[in-house]
């Protein structure tokens, strides 16, 4: 899974990226400090892995991973090449979802590219640039489909109707993620890379004081919540500065720090959970003496396709899956005990894998 971190210059993107990845991406108080996207790979926290590794005495633990891409700050006119324009937009096309960092704090020491802090204006600035870029793509597809429709093929008529509906939505200033699509339309859209269709998490970057004392009175966060609700997007209040501080701590220090702030988990953990929820992802687990590992799949994936995540041979030669839920295994203390109670199931090709399933695949190639 690849998540792109976007936002106007100086809203805390690179600070958040540093905190998330500890990769040391450059962060400075002037626009376009980040030019080429910085990339960092982060392990997905999953407490189940260590429990299983101890049970099986696994030699290795491999969590699922997320790739974060710190994309340089967009500015007004990016779709027409302003700032570093189209280069940024091409980087956004490559990600699965967007983390849109929005500044929701005042600080006279940190320059704002527009001269003042206004969360609604900042969101509109970036969203309009993505909308303009999408309109250009849709118009090209529409022109092509109209030419091809002269052959009489129905699929081009369907594409024309779809593109006209999308264009109308975009020209009204709305993202395509606000629309519902049929399966046929989704098939057409597989060939069209629309920026405004990508799932979005609005990361409301608040001050340390607001985060600690409560964000109820932060009007910008409330405004952002309304935008997210309208767009079928998610919102996550976060303090990039606090996350940066947490990222420097040892595990025991981190736990103490979070407890002192009355937090159950870090912003990074919350961000990853939101990302999984947004993209409809789950993890199934494999465990043995060699390795305990988490595998990320889309919710609704059937057993053979889940097996294919490990190796294509597993999917091609799939026979069955031996499945036990994590909760059942742990509550019974061992695989043998779970089997005695009939909690280990033999599932076939139509089985839909669930989050936390521990699976042994049987296959023959």
């Amino acid at each position: 899974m690849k998540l792109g971190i976007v936002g106007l210059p100086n809203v805390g993107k690179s600070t958040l990226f540093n905190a998330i990845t500890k990769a040391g991406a450059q962060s400075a108080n002037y626009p376009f400090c980040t030019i080429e996207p910085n990339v960092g790979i982060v392990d997905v926290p999953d407490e189940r892995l260590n429990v299983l590794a101890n049970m099986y005495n696994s030699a290795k633990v491999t969590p699922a991973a997320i790739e974060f891409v710190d994309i340089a700050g967009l500015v007004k006119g990016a779709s027409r090449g302003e700032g570093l324009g189209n280069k940024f937009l091409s980087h956004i096309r490559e990600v699965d979802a967007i983390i849109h960092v929005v500044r929701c704090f005042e600080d006279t020491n940190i320059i704002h590219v527009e001269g003042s802090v206004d969360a609604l204006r900042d969101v509109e600035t970036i969203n309009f640039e993505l909308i303009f870029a999408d309109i250009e793509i849709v118009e090209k597809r529409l022109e092509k489909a109209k030419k091809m429709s002269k052959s009489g093929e129905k699929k081009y008529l369907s594409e024309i109707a779809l593109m006209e509906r999308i264009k109308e939505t975009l020209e009204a200033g709305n993202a395509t993620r606000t629309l519902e699509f049929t399966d046929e339309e989704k098939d057409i859209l597989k060939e069209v890379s629309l920026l405004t269709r990508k799932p979005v998490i609005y990361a409301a970057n608040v001050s340390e004081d607001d985060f600690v004392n409560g964000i109820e009175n932060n009007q910008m966060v409330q405004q952002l919540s309304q935008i997210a609700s309208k767009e079928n997007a998610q919102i996550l209040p976060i303090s990039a500065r606090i996350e940066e501080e947490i990222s420097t701590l040892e595990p025991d220090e981190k736990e103490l720090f979070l407890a002192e702030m009355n937090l159950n988990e870090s912003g990074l953990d919350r961000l990853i959970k939101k990302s999984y929820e947004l993209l409809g992802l789950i993890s199934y687990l494999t465990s043995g003496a060699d390795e305990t590992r988490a595998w990320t799949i889309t919710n609704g994936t059937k057993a053979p396709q889940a097996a294919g995540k490990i190796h294509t041979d597993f999917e091609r030669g799939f026979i069955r899956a031996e499945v036990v839920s994590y909760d059942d295994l742990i509550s019974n203390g061992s695989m043998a005990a779970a089997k005695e109670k009939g909690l280990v199931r033999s599932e076939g090709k139509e089985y839909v894998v669930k989050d936390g399933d521990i699976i042994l695949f049987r296959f023959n190639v």
Side-chain angles (χ1 to χ4, degrees):
M1 178 167 61
K2 185 185 287 189
L3 303 177
I5 304 176
V6 307
L8 291 174
N10 293 4
V11 296
K13 286 189 311 84
S14 293
T15 301
L16 182 61
F17 177 81
N18 289 349
I20 287 171
T21 64
K22 302 181 187 177
Q26 190 180 8
S27 176
N29 188 22
Y30 55 88
F32 309 123
C33 171
T34 306
I35 297 175
E36 290 300 325
N38 298 300
V39 179
I41 308 295
V42 178
D43 291 339
V44 176
D46 192 335
E47 63 278 2
R48 299 173 298 192
L49 294 175
N50 288 330
V51 175
L52 288 173
N54 289 332
M55 179 181 285
Y56 283 91
N57 293 315
S58 303
K60 182 181 178 184
V61 176
T62 307
I66 289 181
E67 185 174 324
F68 285 94
V69 184
D70 179 24
I71 297 170
L74 284 164
V75 293
K76 191 181 293 183
S79 59
R80 302 188 303 275
E82 294 294 329
L84 297 176
N86 293 323
K87 195 171 186 180
F88 296 172
L89 297 173
S90 68
H91 293 147
I92 296 172
R93 292 194 198 285
E94 296 170 3
V95 302
D96 299 306
I98 296 169
I99 299 167
H100 184 164
V101 182
V102 184
R103 180 171 164 179
C104 295
F105 65 90
E106 298 279 359
D107 187 336
T108 55
N109 295 316
I110 300 177
I111 300 164
H112 191 288
V113 71
E114 295 285 354
S116 62
V117 179
D118 184 332
L120 281 179
R121 179 202 60 212
D122 292 356
V123 167
E124 283 186 352
T125 296
I126 286 192
N127 283 352
F128 281 147
E129 294 310 318
L130 303 185
I131 284 170
F132 294 148
D134 278 357
I135 287 173
E136 187 177 343
I137 287 174
V138 168
E139 285 178 340
K140 287 178 180 176
R141 291 287 304 201
L142 194 52
E143 185 182 350
K144 182 180 177 182
K146 284 179 177 177
K147 286 181 181 176
M148 299 301 291
S149 68
K150 292 174 183 177
S151 66
E153 285 191 60
K154 287 185 178 179
K155 68 175 183 178
Y156 294 115
L157 297 176
S158 298
E159 182 168 342
I160 289 169
L162 174 60
M163 291 302 144
E164 285 179 340
R165 181 160 72 97
I166 290 174
K167 185 182 177 186
E168 185 179 333
T169 299
L170 293 169
E171 288 179 339
N174 298 314
T176 51
R177 58 181 165 271
T178 62
L179 296 173
E180 297 288 335
F181 297 107
T182 65
D183 289 341
E184 180 189 357
E185 289 173 333
K186 287 175 184 176
D187 284 340
I188 294 171
L189 288 172
K190 286 177 183 177
E191 301 174 8
V192 188
S193 178
L194 294 175
L195 299 174
T196 63
R197 193 172 173 232
K198 292 184 183 293
V200 169
I201 296 174
Y202 287 108
N205 187 15
V206 300
S207 68
E208 295 170 70
D209 286 344
D210 269 5
F211 194 79
V212 172
N213 299 321
I215 57 170
E216 295 80 11
N217 296 322
N218 188 314
Q219 189 177 0
M220 287 184 281
V221 174
Q222 306 311 320
Q223 291 172 333
L224 208 53
S225 294
Q226 292 173 7
I227 292 173
S229 177
K230 178 185 173 185
E231 287 189 3
N232 300 321
Q234 299 268 9
I235 181 170
L236 180 71
I238 197 167
S239 169
R241 287 297 179 196
I242 289 176
E243 293 305 313
E244 192 172 44
E245 188 173 344
I246 290 173
S247 72
T248 65
L249 302 176
E250 295 298 324
D252 54 341
E253 294 175 323
K254 174 183 170 182
E255 200 170 312
L256 184 62
F257 181 85
L258 291 172
E260 287 175 352
M261 298 189 70
N262 294 317
L263 296 172
N264 296 320
E265 55 190 351
S266 70
L268 170 59
D269 291 352
R270 290 185 295 121
L271 181 58
I272 289 173
K273 285 180 180 177
K274 284 273 189 186
S275 302
Y276 263 59
E277 182 184 335
L278 190 69
L279 291 169
L281 301 176
I282 61 172
S283 293
Y284 75 86
L285 314 168
T286 56
S287 195
D290 292 335
E291 182 182 39
T292 290
R293 182 164 181 166
W295 304 86
T296 300
I297 57 173
T298 303
N299 196 7
T301 300
K302 292 183 178 179
Q305 288 69 49
K309 284 284 183 179
I310 300 175
H311 197 285
T312 52
D313 284 351
F314 282 35
E315 180 176 357
R316 188 158 56 92
F318 179 88
I319 299 172
R320 68 181 185 276
E322 294 178 9
V323 184
V324 62
S325 77
Y326 173 83
D327 289 340
D328 284 344
L329 177 62
I330 299 307
S331 63
N332 285 278
S334 70
M335 184 65 80
K339 281 183 177 177
E340 279 182 20
K341 292 188 177 180
L343 297 172
V344 181
R345 312 179 309 277
S346 181
E347 301 285 2
K349 292 182 177 181
E350 294 303 309
Y351 176 69
V352 177
V353 175
K354 297 176 179 62
D355 185 63
D357 276 350
I358 300 162
I359 306 179
L360 174 64
F361 291 108
R362 300 294 184 184
F363 72 102
N364 183 34
V365 177

